[in-house]
């Protein structure tokens, strides 16, 4: 894992991407559940509401992690397929040249036969792995002209190069096959996890669904309060920095201010793009324009600002400068969970725009939607 990762508390943490309807619950909601009858084991053997919620939470998290693996495998597949196509085209061209050279050498052997120098086995010659060795064996090299000897040398060189390219193409095909298997596995995992989550949720009663929605509302209110606190802290820090700069009368920060202004301009474009996508559905593996997954949205947003980001959260987290959460600026990317499987675009005041999970839509939300403990890092991509 990257060296800039934060250390994580050893205790149990809530995981998952939350939506207003039937979202997963963190530690606070789990405590609330423990005080209700719904949290108690069901007498009829069915899982309790708390158990269902925890299972759904885990399934959505596993699905999102598998989605990023799917995205990575899809990227590799595209790259490897292009490489294989290039190699196969090269092998075809080399094979064609090799066949022409073989035909030319065959005509030389036939000519030697007609002169009575020897009686070569033309069929054996045409199938020989080493024309040089064939001519040596039949004592024909001494009778070849310079042009003919050059043709033999060229054939041997082409044959060796063609064999190497064929071996390289074979290895690339094997690698492509493995990546395609990874792609299928990741796709199956996502589909299986989501189907299981939908099945669990479908078993909830109307009262249980209402209870989950109420707890979700409480969690969102708590997250909004936490975001407001961060906004105050960042505003206070900015005021202190401005006062310090004014008091010192220093002009040494001119370059820094220019750089900050350039970043703010790009970030504004990225945020404007992301805000225009609000309301579009989350679809795993999607990169727009009609739907997005989390890393697809962040990639598309920054592309609109002229900055190229990698496809997956695993790579995006390393595509910039890591900054403290307290120093987060609009446009920065906020990553979540120890496996870096989710990302949102910071818009200031402790809020972000992100594509949450299947069944949800792109929206603005507090970066504390799942608690502070799941925030992995903040990266400035440009």
């Amino acid at each position: 894992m990257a060296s800039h990762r934060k250390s994580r508390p050893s205790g149990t943490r809530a995981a998952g991407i939350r939506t207003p309807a039937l979202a997963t619950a963190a530690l606070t909601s789990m405590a609330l559940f423990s005080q209700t009858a719904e949290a108690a084991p069901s007498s009829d053997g069915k899982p309790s509401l708390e158990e269902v919620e925890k299972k759904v939470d885990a399934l959505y998290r596993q699905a999102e992690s598998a989605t990023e693996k799917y995205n990575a495998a899809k990227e590799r597949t595209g790259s490897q397929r292009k490489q294989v196509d290039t190699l196969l085209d090269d092998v075809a061209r080399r094979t064609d040249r090799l066949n022409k050279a073989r035909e030319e050498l065959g005509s030389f052997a036939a000519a030697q036969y007609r002169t009575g120098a020897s009686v070569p086995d033309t069929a054996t010659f045409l199938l020989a792995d080493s024309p040089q060795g064939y001519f040596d064996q039949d004592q024909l090299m001494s009778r070849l002209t310079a042009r003919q000897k050059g043709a033999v040398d060229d054939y041997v060189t082409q044959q060796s190069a063609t064999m190497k390219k064929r071996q390289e193409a074979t290895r690339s095909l094997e690698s492509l096959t493995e990546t395609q298997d990874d792609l299928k596995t990741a796709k199956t995992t996502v589909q299986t996890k989501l189907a299981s989550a939908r099945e669990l949720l479908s078993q909830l009663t109307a009262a249980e669904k209402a209870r989950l929605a109420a707890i979700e509302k409480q969690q969102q209110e708590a997250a909004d309060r936490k975001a407001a606190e961060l906004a105050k802290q960042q505003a206070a820090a900015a005021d202190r920095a401005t006062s310090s700069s004014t008091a010192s009368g220093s002009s040494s920060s001119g370059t820094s201010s220019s750089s900050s202004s350039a970043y703010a301009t790009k970030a504004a474009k990225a945020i404007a793009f992301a805000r225009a996508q609000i309301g579009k559905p989350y679809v795993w593996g999607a990169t727009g324009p009609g739907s997005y997954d989390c890393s697809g949205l962040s990639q598309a947003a920054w592309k609109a600002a002229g900055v190229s980001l990698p496809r997956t959260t695993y790579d995006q987290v390393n595509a910039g400068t890591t900054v403290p959460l307290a120093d987060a600026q609009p446009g920065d990317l906020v990553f979540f969970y120890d496996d870096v499987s989710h990302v949102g675009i910071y818009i200031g005041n402790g809020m972000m725009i992100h594509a949450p999970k299947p069944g949800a839509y792109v929206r603005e939300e507090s970066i504390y939607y799942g608690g502070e403990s799941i925030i992995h890092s903040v990266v400035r991509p440009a």
Side-chain angles (χ1 to χ4, degrees), residues 52-69:
V52 170
E53 183 192 36
K54 291 171 66 177
K55 288 180 180 179
V56 170
D57 175 53
L59 288 168
Y60 276 133
R61 284 281 297 110
Q62 292 163 10
E64 187 163 35
S65 181
T67 293
E68 290 305 311
K69 292 178 181 178

Side-chain angles (χ1 to χ4, degrees), residues 12-18 22-27 29-30 49-64 193 197 200-201 219 337 357 369-370 374:
T12 301
R13 298 197 312 276
I17 306 299
R18 293 165 176 74
L22 306 179
T24 57
L27 296 177
S29 66
M30 291 170 63
L49 183 57
E50 181 184 10
E51 291 170 337
V52 170
E53 183 192 36
K54 291 171 66 177
K55 288 180 180 179
V56 170
D57 175 53
L59 288 168
Y60 276 133
R61 284 281 297 110
Q62 292 163 10
E64 187 163 35
K193 299 301 181 182
L200 286 171
L201 291 173
Q219 292 173 338
Y337 307 107
K357 69 170 184 179
Y369 73 101
I374 69 168

Side-chain angles (χ1 to χ4, degrees), residues 72 96 158 322:
D96 184 59
Q158 288 189 36
T322 302

Side-chain angles (χ1 to χ4, degrees), residues 24-308:
T24 57
L27 296 177
T28 302
S29 66
M30 291 170 63
L32 290 172
F33 270 121
S34 67
Q35 300 174 12
T36 67
E38 291 93 339
S42 174
S43 60
D44 59 5
K46 293 175 59 178
S48 67
L49 183 57
E50 181 184 10
E51 291 170 337
V52 170
E53 183 192 36
K54 291 171 66 177
K55 288 180 180 179
V56 170
D57 175 53
L59 288 168
Y60 276 133
R61 284 281 297 110
Q62 292 163 10
E64 187 163 35
S65 181
T67 293
E68 290 305 311
K69 292 178 181 178
Y70 170 86
N71 291 338
K74 188 175 181 180
E75 287 286 290
R76 291 199 307 274
T77 297
S79 175
Q80 290 172 346
R81 184 174 287 113
K82 290 179 181 178
Q83 181 182 26
V84 167
D85 289 343
T86 299
L87 286 170
L88 291 178
D89 287 343
D90 190 14
V91 168
R93 288 192 296 271
R94 289 177 182 275
T95 300
D96 184 59
R97 291 198 298 269
L98 189 63
N99 288 337
K100 291 179 180 178
R102 187 187 291 270
E103 291 173 1
E104 185 176 8
L105 290 180
S107 67
F108 293 161
Q112 291 293 327
Y113 172 72
R114 288 193 298 271
T115 63
S118 65
V119 184
D121 182 350
T122 303
T124 301
F125 171 79
L126 292 175
L127 296 174
D129 290 333
S130 175
Q132 181 78 44
Y134 179 87
F135 278 104
D136 286 342
Q137 181 179 350
D138 290 271
Q139 300 179 350
L140 296 177
M141 286 301 292
S142 62
R143 293 179 176 273
L144 295 180
T145 64
R147 174 173 172 270
Q148 291 170 338
K149 289 180 179 180
V152 171
D153 292 339
D154 180 61
Y155 178 89
V156 173
T157 300
Q158 288 189 36
Q159 185 184 51
S160 176
T162 301
M163 289 180 64
K164 289 180 180 179
K165 283 296 180 180
R166 285 174 178 168
Q167 293 171 351
E168 186 179 352
T170 298
R171 290 193 297 269
S172 294
L173 279 170
E174 292 173 348
S175 179
L176 174 60
T177 298
E178 291 177 358
T179 303
Q180 288 175 327
D181 289 341
D182 291 341
L183 187 66
K184 293 177 181 177
T185 298
K187 181 176 181 178
T188 299
T189 299
V190 174
Q191 293 173 331
T192 300
K193 299 301 181 182
L194 294 180
S196 298
R198 287 193 295 269
E199 175 63 22
L200 286 171
L201 291 173
S202 70
Q203 298 173 6
L204 296 179
T205 65
E208 289 171 332
K209 293 178 181 180
R211 176 61 176 159
L212 283 177
I215 290 176
E216 175 62 24
K217 183 178 180 180
Q218 294 175 353
Q219 292 173 338
Q220 288 184 326
E221 291 172 349
D224 290 343
R225 288 194 295 272
K226 187 71 175 177
E229 292 176 7
L230 176 62
K232 290 180 180 178
Q233 294 171 4
Q234 291 177 331
D239 288 342
R240 288 194 297 271
T242 300
S243 298
S244 176
S245 177
T246 301
S248 63
S250 174
S251 60
S252 61
S253 62
T255 301
S256 177
S257 297
S258 176
S259 175
S260 178
S261 176
Y263 177 74
T265 299
K266 293 179 180 179
K269 293 180 180 178
I271 292 173
F273 178 92
R275 184 164 280 122
Q277 312 314 307
I278 290 177
K280 293 183 179 180
Y282 175 107
V283 174
W284 64 274
T287 56
S291 58
Y292 298 88
D293 62 17
C294 65
S295 56
L297 177 63
S298 55
Q299 182 188 50
W302 270 102
K303 182 179 180 180
V307 176
S308 178

Side-chain angles (χ1 to χ4, degrees), residues 1-6 8 68 295 298 309-323 332-344 375-381:
M1 195 56 65
S3 60
H4 59 262
R5 287 193 175 181
K6 300 178 182 178
R8 294 288 152 204
E68 290 305 311
S295 56
S298 55
L309 292 181
R311 174 65 181 94
T312 69
T313 54
Y314 309 135
D315 293 324
Q316 289 181 7
V317 74
N318 296 314
T321 304
T322 302
V323 298
D332 292 350
L333 301 180
V334 185
F335 295 90
F336 299 86
Y337 307 107
D338 283 338
D339 62 355
V340 199
S341 58
H342 189 66
V343 63
I375 297 176
H376 175 274
S377 57
V378 179
V379 171
R380 191 157 298 155

